[in-house]
Amino acid sequence: MTLIKSISGIRGTIGGAAGDTLNPLDIVKFTSAYATFIRRGQKTSFNRIVVGRDARISGEMVRSVVCGTLMGMGFDVVDIGLATTPTTELAVVMAQADGGIIITASHNPRQWNALKLLNNLGEFLNKEEGNEVLAIAEAEDFEYAEVDQLGKYIKDDSFDKKHVDAVMALSLVDAEAVAKKKFKVCVDAINSVGGIILPKLLDSLGVDYTILNGDPTGDFAHNPEPLERNLTGIMSEMRAGQYDLGIVVDPDVDRLAFICEDGKMFGEEYTLVSVADYVLQHTPGNTVSNLSSTRALRDVTEKHGGKYAAAAVGEVNVTTKMKEVGAVIGGEGNGGVIYPESHYGRDALVGIALFLSSLANKGCKVSQLRAEMPEYSIAKNRIDLTPTTDVDAILEKVKELYAEQQVNDIDGVKIDFPDKWVHLRKSNTEPIIRVYSEAHTIEEADALGKDIMKVVLDMQ
C-alpha cells in the first residue's frame, strides 16, 4: 500500500490503514489543508471550488469525501462530475472559482487515485504553494464552518460542451478543412472520461470515428499509460481497418499519443513536436519543454525563427518557464500539449484539434507528416541506489567530468553533446536515478546512457 505526499497534492492506493494509503481520513485532512490554504490567500471573493474526477472505480467515494469536506470548510462546491483534467482546469475560470481539485491518478493503474490541486487560474500550485498545503496538513491547523456558514453543493454538467466550444474557437483550429477531409479515426479511451468528451469534439470537427474502450467504468482495458507496449489492441485495429489516424489518451485526457494509418506509433515525443510545427508556421515564437523531452522541438522551433528553452520536469515548471519566455506553445514529451491561447495546462483536446487541422491543411498521411519531423530516439534506463548512496555528490562529480560540454543542472544533470544528450535525475518516488538519453538512433542513445551509467556506478 502506498501514500505519496507531494507539492502537487496527494496520491496513493485505495484501501488499507490510515496514513499508509489514500483513505477517507487522509482525504479529509488534505482537502481541509487545501481549503485552509485557499482561504488564507484568497485572491477572489467567489467562495467556491470546482471538483472534477476521472472515471476511476474509487472516484465516487473520493468525490463524496472531498465535496463534503469543502462544504464543511465553508466553500460552495461546483461538482462538474466525470470530467477531464483540462476540463476541470478551464471550469475553475469559467465558474469564477477560487480553486479546484481534480480527482485523478492520471496514468497510474486502477487501484490508485489522487487529489490534484489548482489555484484560481485553473493552474497547478507551484512548489512553494504545495509545500504550504503539506505544512498545514501536517499541523492539522483547520477550522471548520459553523452551521449557518456551511457551503452549498452545486452540480453542473455543462463544462464538457464549454470545453469543446472553447477548443473549436481557437484561431488555428481549422474545422472547415478537417470536415472536408472526412477523416476516419480510431480512439482508445481506456474506459475513462475520454469516452465521454472525445466523441463530442470529433462530432464538432466532422470526423468519422470508432471508439475502443469507451465505457467510463474506470475498469481500464489495459495499462493506462499510453505507451506502445500497452496499445496492442488499437494498433491491431489500425492495421485491420481503413483509418487515417489512431488517437490514444490516458484516463484524465491530458496526455495524447497518435498512431499512423499503417498501425505504427507516431511516437509520444512527437505529439508536441508536430503540433508545435503547425502552430509555429502561423504564429512564430518561442517554445518550452522539459529537460527529458526530445531535441526535435528545439530543431523545429529554430527552423521557424524562434528560441527554445528547457524547464525542470513537471507541468508547473514548464508553464512557469513558458510565461517567463513568452512561449506560444510548450509541453512535455509524454504527449502533453500546452497551448496558452487556450490555457496553461496539458490538453489532449487542443492537441487533437490542432493536429487534425495540420493534417488537413498539409493534405498528407500521418506517416508522411511524421517523416517530416527531425529523427531522434530516446533510451530510458535507471540506476538502483543503495541507502548510503550520496546522489547529490555523484551528480556534482558528473558535472565536473563533463564540464567541457553544455551542462544544465536545474533538475539533476543534463549533458548536451553536439548531436545527443543524456539526463540524470533522481526519482521523487523510487530509490533510483533515471537516465534518459537521446541520439539519432536508439542504439546510439542506449549506448550513451549505458556509458554514463558505468561512470556513475564506478563512483558508488
Side-chain angles (χ1 to χ4, degrees):
M1 298 298 181
T2 306
L3 182 68
I4 300 171
K5 306 163 190 175
S6 70
I7 60 169
S8 59
I10 175 174
R11 64 189 175 101
T13 53
I14 299 297
D20 293 332
T21 62
L22 188 66
N23 60 78
L25 286 177
D26 283 301
I27 295 167
V28 168
K29 182 169 78 171
F30 279 87
T31 302
S32 299
Y34 169 71
T36 301
F37 165 80
I38 293 293
R39 181 75 74 203
R40 289 178 181 175
Q42 209 159 6
K43 299 180 177 67
T44 55
S45 57
F46 303 130
N47 203 52
R48 68 179 68 98
I49 292 175
V50 169
V51 176
R53 71 177 182 93
D54 70 15
R56 288 172 183 273
I57 295 167
S58 60
E60 181 58 31
M61 179 275 288
V62 179
R63 181 206 63 80
S64 298
V65 177
V66 167
C67 290
T69 302
L70 291 172
M71 293 165 66
M73 292 294 295
F75 281 96
D76 294 341
V77 174
V78 180
D79 180 3
I80 68 172
L82 290 170
T84 75
T85 283
T87 305
T88 310
E89 292 169 346
L90 286 167
V92 170
V93 177
M94 292 176 175
Q96 295 186 311
D98 301 288
I101 296 180
I102 310 167
I103 301 168
T104 176
S106 192
H107 62 273
N108 287 111
R110 66 201 290 274
Q111 69 269 28
W112 287 78
N113 215 327
L115 311 180
K116 295 188 176 182
L117 311 176
L118 303 173
N119 62 20
N120 66 303
L121 300 176
E123 299 169 14
F124 288 116
L125 303 187
N126 62 32
K127 182 177 181 179
E128 292 73 22
E129 294 166 335
N131 282 332
E132 186 176 343
V133 173
L134 295 179
I136 295 169
E138 185 68 25
E140 297 193 13
D141 186 13
F142 320 133
E143 184 172 343
Y144 295 98
E146 301 288 342
V147 66
D148 292 325
Q149 280 75 49
L150 293 173
K152 299 180 180 64
Y153 178 80
I154 304 159
K155 182 71 174 175
D156 190 337
D157 296 321
S158 67
F159 288 98
D160 273 3
K161 183 179 186 307
K162 291 175 181 176
H163 186 179
V164 171
D165 288 347
V167 172
M168 296 298 294
L170 294 172
S171 59
L172 291 184
V173 172
D174 193 341
E176 183 179 353
V178 172
K180 283 181 179 178
K181 287 294 182 181
K182 300 186 184 300
F183 288 124
K184 184 178 181 183
V185 305
C186 186
V187 179
D188 184 347
I190 196 62
N191 288 336
S192 192
V193 291
I196 300 173
I197 196 168
L198 292 186
K200 298 173 183 177
L201 174 69
L202 296 172
D203 284 338
S204 296
L205 288 167
V207 172
D208 183 19
Y209 56 87
T210 297
I211 304 288
L212 306 180
N213 308 315
D215 191 5
T217 62
D219 193 6
F220 303 143
H222 52 77
N223 185 306
E225 190 166 12
L227 301 176
E228 181 172 357
R229 63 178 178 270
N230 302 327
L231 304 177
T232 55
I234 186 172
M235 292 174 75
S236 296
E237 180 74 14
M238 288 294 297
R239 286 191 290 268
Q242 299 297 313
Y243 296 103
D244 298 297
L245 173 68
I247 297 172
V248 182
V249 293
D250 64 342
D252 65 327
V253 197
D254 63 353
R255 288 178 60 175
L256 172 64
F258 295 123
I259 300 173
C260 299
E261 76 285 347
D262 56 5
K264 295 179 180 178
M265 291 295 296
F266 191 80
E268 65 169 353
E269 286 285 337
Y270 284 85
T271 299
L272 172 60
V273 177
S274 59
V275 172
D277 187 50
Y278 172 66
V279 169
L280 293 168
Q281 288 173 33
H282 300 276
T283 51
N286 300 330
T287 66
V288 173
S289 64
N290 69 42
L291 285 171
S292 288
S293 298
T294 180
R295 185 179 282 185
L297 180 62
R298 185 198 69 178
D299 294 354
V300 165
T301 304
E302 292 176 351
K303 178 184 74 173
H304 291 290
K307 293 183 178 180
Y308 165 80
V313 174
E315 182 173 330
V316 68
N317 297 319
V318 174
T319 57
T320 299
K321 177 62 75 170
M322 288 178 68
K323 293 174 184 178
E324 180 185 317
V325 303
V328 296
I329 190 166
E332 298 182 289
N334 60 11
V337 175
I338 303 172
Y339 188 44
E341 186 180 323
S342 175
H343 63 121
Y344 279 102
R346 296 183 304 185
D347 192 330
L349 276 73
V350 169
I352 290 167
L354 291 174
F355 186 86
L356 286 171
S357 297
S358 175
L359 196 64
N361 279 280
K362 284 181 177 291
C364 65
K365 293 181 178 180
V366 176
S367 59
Q368 293 171 327
L369 183 61
R370 173 65 179 82
E372 294 178 3
M373 300 294 108
E375 187 59 46
Y376 294 100
S377 294
I378 292 181
K380 298 183 179 181
N381 291 291
R382 57 184 276 174
I383 300 171
D384 293 314
L385 303 175
T386 67
T388 59
T389 302
D390 187 339
V391 177
D392 291 336
I394 288 175
L395 295 180
E396 194 62 36
K397 184 64 175 176
V398 170
K399 282 173 55 181
E400 293 175 10
L401 289 173
Y402 293 92
E404 74 280 4
Q405 305 295 336
Q406 184 178 337
V407 176
N408 188 321
D409 63 357
I410 62 172
D411 185 9
V413 174
K414 182 174 182 179
I415 307 161
D416 266 301
F417 300 91
D419 59 346
K420 54 194 173 185
W421 58 258
V422 62
H423 184 204
L424 294 84
R425 177 175 173 268
K426 184 181 178 182
S427 170
N428 293 324
T429 58
E430 299 176 81
I432 64 172
I433 294 176
R434 301 191 189 280
V435 183
Y436 288 7
S437 49
E438 182 178 68
H440 288 294
T441 68
I442 190 63
E443 292 80 13
E444 290 178 273
D446 192 54
L448 173 61
K450 296 284 176 53
D451 287 345
I452 300 293
M453 288 171 65
K454 185 177 185 303
V455 170
V456 172
L457 290 170
D458 288 343
M459 296 179 191
Q460 293 195 69

